[in-house]
Amino acid sequence: MRRRNSPGILAIATFSLAAVGALAHLEARAQSPIVTMDVNDGKLADAVHRALLAAASPDFGGAIVIEQGGKLILKAGYGYANREKHIPFRADTIAQIGSISKSFTAAAIADLEREGKLDPQSAVAKYLPELKGKSAGAITIQQLLTHTGGYPEYCGDDFDKSSSAKMLHDCLAPLDAKPGKHAYSNAGYSSLALIVERISAMSLEAYLKERITGPLGMRDTAYLFADATAKTHASGYLNGVNQGVISDRIAALHGDYWNLKGNGGIQASSNDMMAWGKALFGADPALPVMANKLSDRKTWALADGANTYYSYGLFIVLRSDGSVQRFSHSGSDGVFFSLFRWYPDERIQIYFVGNSGEDDVRKALLAAIGAVKKEAPIRE
């Protein structure tokens, strides 16, 4: 299933709470195993929790973590990670993050630049010689990072068996790439993943573990999990049908998942994703080169309208006065839906994920974001 990316979503700030009687019924569920409340500290946490409970369908399963100024505000799980086994969804449940995976690929690129092994202004063909003399090879790495290289959105469905050679030969070599305008490209980020592998002589999976997620202590973040179980990994549900655990589907491709690698497919716990946010936007970011790239407006490319930009795997939304309102990215495969968001002025970081189908998850997420915007409040 192709991921349906929604880069500009969640601009809605308002929501309506259910009637008092319905809310009381929903809140009674908080005493049952299907709501796991680890931290609920203060009015903001309570407002988000109540809004989410009111909006969530009976099928919703997911987790949310919110920090403000480095302080944990809310950490909670809702519904089931596995309905058949009645396993609650928790903040330590490992689940698909979708296109938020792109920020990890971008971090690997930034790390190679830090080591002097890569120049983002170089043409792709310098690192992928199969594309020498091709229009796809003349595109720069920086253009791929900002989706301005003219690469296609897809080279096939996510779980079509595809090697890197097939991606290069069938998708990129024949491409008539016309760079300039922002056009969201999963294929571009798969190409960046291949560049990481060519330069480092390591798989992307190994590079991320050794250089990025491992040093950050993100032990629950990866493409593949040899020990995935219903207790640790969330299953996805679409129209009530269990879609399985994505790492099992990736493993079945025996490495030939290049329609997905680099642009999606990473799974992580909500706890790990909050650690990821701190590494990028904390007071002392653990990935300073990546953090600097995101803050450097010269690396940004206009993505949508006059106030939305893209850089190194994240969207940046500006206010009318030109100041940054948020860094954000959502991820979806139509089943799981996730959101990472950082509000720099308010110093609020949010990670949210759900497994009950994108449309169902969005309802709960919009309510949660609406409560944050109202209670924090977030300056528009």
Side-chain angles (χ1 to χ4, degrees), residues 102 105-114 116-129 131 135-151 179 185 187-200 293 298-301 310-313:
K102 291 178 176 67
T105 304
I109 292 289
D111 189 55
L112 288 168
E113 182 183 359
R114 181 185 64 81
K117 296 180 179 179
L118 175 148
D119 180 357
Q121 301 305 322
S122 292
V124 168
K126 178 178 179 179
Y127 307 102
L128 304 180
L131 298 179
S135 65
I139 303 305
T140 67
I141 289 173
Q142 181 64 37
Q143 287 172 320
L144 293 187
L145 286 165
T146 55
H147 299 296
T148 56
Y151 277 31
S185 174
Y189 267 75
S190 292
S191 302
L192 291 170
L194 183 55
I195 289 170
V196 171
E197 294 199 352
R198 291 285 180 84
I199 294 174
S200 67
K293 292 292 184 181
K298 290 183 289 187
T299 72
W300 300 1
Y310 197 94
S311 180
Y312 281 77

Side-chain angles (χ1 to χ4, degrees), residues 350-370:
I350 303 169
Y351 183 71
F352 184 102
V353 64
N355 70 342
S356 53
E358 179 177 338
D359 292 340
D360 187 68
V361 175
R362 276 176 180 266
K363 297 172 186 176
L365 178 53
L366 285 170
I369 292 294

Side-chain angles (χ1 to χ4, degrees), residues 22-75:
L23 181 58
H25 169 70
L26 286 165
E27 287 201 301
R29 300 189 331 188
Q31 305 306 314
S32 77
I34 65 169
V35 176
T36 304
M37 182 64 65
D38 295 324
V39 176
N40 185 323
D41 188 354
K43 290 177 62 179
L44 174 58
D46 187 60
V48 172
H49 175 59
R50 289 170 63 87
L52 201 158
L53 281 174
S57 77
D59 290 334
F60 174 72
I64 187 169
V65 184
I66 301 176
E67 291 188 358
Q68 184 170 26
K71 177 186 175 182
L72 187 58
I73 301 296
L74 176 65
K75 182 195 290 190

